[in-house]
Amino acid sequence: SEEDGLTLTTMPGVNGFGNGKIHTRRKCRNRFVKKNGQCNVEFTNMDDKPQRYIADMFTTCVDIRWRYMLLLFSLAFLVSWLLFGLAFWLIALVHGDLEKPTADETFTPCLLQVNGFVAAFLFSIETQTTIGYGFRCVTEECPLAVFMVVLQSIVGCIIDSFMIGAIMAKMARPKKRAETLLFSHHAVIAMRDGKLSLMWRVGNLRKSHIVEAHVRAQLIKPRITEEGEYIPLDQIDIDVGFDKGLDRIFLVSPLTILHEINEESPLFGISRQDLENDDFEIVVILEGMVEATAMTTQARSSYLSSEILWGHRFEPVLFEEKNQYKVDYSHFHKTYEVPSTPCCSAKDLMENKFLLPSTNSFCYENELAFMSRDEEEEEE
């Protein structure tokens, strides 16, 4: 059950006794990549992590959550206002501006209308934000006060540039664009052009295009090398037509990505029964440039072996309607069973160990297409 994270696996019987099957319980593997694209990885025991993150402050500000970003934004201004306010208050205190009465015309203060720390803090805010209410200002009496005004103006510009740049970079991150790139809930294995193939579906929910879109896939499973070394997450590339250019797609309407299970495929020796008992994960990646910003975005998802449906196909989502095409996303994740799909592996199929049943050329997709055409004719 899903509650205890255990599944049933089937093993052959021993010495021919019993029904040839032994049911055992094994723990489901943890996802390496979640369905929403987040990597299920936690970093621990990192040396000098705070120092390294502070050294790359801009990236740290872009990566942190919005609540911390706004807190850092507010603290940066408050600390600068307080520090320069304290500096102006000390200058006024040392010069005697706080002790001399304002009516004394023989005394020229460094800062006009600064009679305490609160007034110095307000003068600091007015200087850095260029508000200038007209009551408080610096005089020529103290060169140090003039220098502090110039320094605060420069520091204020630097803080504004850094914080506004970080906020804009955070808002324009292409990571959010991946929220409108869709992967099917399941992958399927069925015959396509006489060959056993692994297929999954991708879609774009926005009308703006993904420029130079291309797809990749990797199979992840534990492996033991010939020397006995255990690799917990061995990554094997899955060919989606890189040599033929089929990995580069024009994602205007939902597309079905195809992986032909041949001799070079890691799924070559896997049959339907092996798929039910095997333990692996297929990570699928869609990359491209956002049309509005020309920034590269990446959308990810994954399929466990239990999420791959053998002998299924995706229902059609694209229909021709008068002078345009209509995409019905209510069928995006739906599949239908194809009973004629062989249950053996592609290896056995290639070695002619399994005879393909006679196929009917009138398939489910054709039926839906004719139904859609009949509806259009009735409307006309």
Side-chain angles (χ1 to χ4, degrees), residues 129-293:
T129 58
T130 66
I131 294 176
Y133 290 114
F135 295 100
R136 303 176 184 88
C137 65
V138 64
T139 64
E140 301 176 357
E141 182 70 17
C142 300
L144 181 59
V146 176
F147 172 77
M148 292 301 297
V149 170
V150 174
L151 180 62
Q152 185 174 13
S153 300
I154 297 173
V155 172
C157 290
I158 295 174
I159 294 177
D160 290 342
S161 302
F162 183 86
M163 300 307 298
I164 293 175
I167 290 178
M168 289 300 298
K170 190 174 181 65
M171 293 177 62
R173 280 191 307 174
K175 181 179 180 180
K176 295 300 180 182
R177 182 63 176 89
E179 300 292 336
T180 53
L181 298 175
L182 202 60
F183 290 92
S184 57
H185 291 161
H186 294 86
V188 298
I189 293 180
M191 299 299 295
R192 174 68 71 89
D193 295 329
K195 298 177 181 178
L196 204 61
S197 302
L198 170 71
M199 293 169 282
W200 66 92
R201 179 175 276 173
V202 295
N204 180 15
L205 299 181
R206 288 187 181 273
K207 289 187 177 180
S208 59
H209 298 171
I210 297 296
V211 183
E212 296 292 335
H214 58 278
V215 293
R216 294 188 291 120
Q218 287 186 331
L219 185 140
I220 298 178
K221 64 181 301 184
R223 182 174 72 90
I224 299 178
T225 64
E226 297 179 359
E227 295 77 17
E229 179 186 4
Y230 176 73
I231 303 177
L233 294 174
D234 187 33
Q235 301 183 12
I236 305 173
D237 284 335
I238 293 180
D239 184 24
V240 290
F242 176 79
D243 296 335
K244 299 179 181 179
L246 301 178
D247 62 321
R248 295 183 288 275
I249 59 177
F250 183 46
L251 193 60
V252 176
S253 62
L255 297 175
T256 300
I257 308 302
L258 177 71
H259 164 63
E260 180 184 327
I261 304 179
N262 51 26
E263 300 93 332
E264 299 178 356
S265 171
L267 305 176
F268 185 58
I270 294 180
S271 64
R272 181 170 187 170
Q273 184 177 4
D274 295 333
L275 182 65
E276 296 175 354
N277 302 329
D278 212 337
D279 182 22
F280 61 84
E281 179 179 359
I282 295 179
V283 177
V284 292
I285 302 171
L286 171 62
E287 292 179 326
M289 292 189 298
V290 181
E291 187 178 31
T293 61

Side-chain angles (χ1 to χ4, degrees), residues 62 66 80 104 120 128 153 209 234 246 273 283 300 315 318 374:
V62 173
W66 272 109
S80 64
D104 189 358
Q128 188 164 330
S153 300
H209 298 171
D234 187 33
L246 301 178
Q273 184 177 4
V283 177
R300 298 178 295 268
E315 291 189 3
L318 185 64
D374 293 339

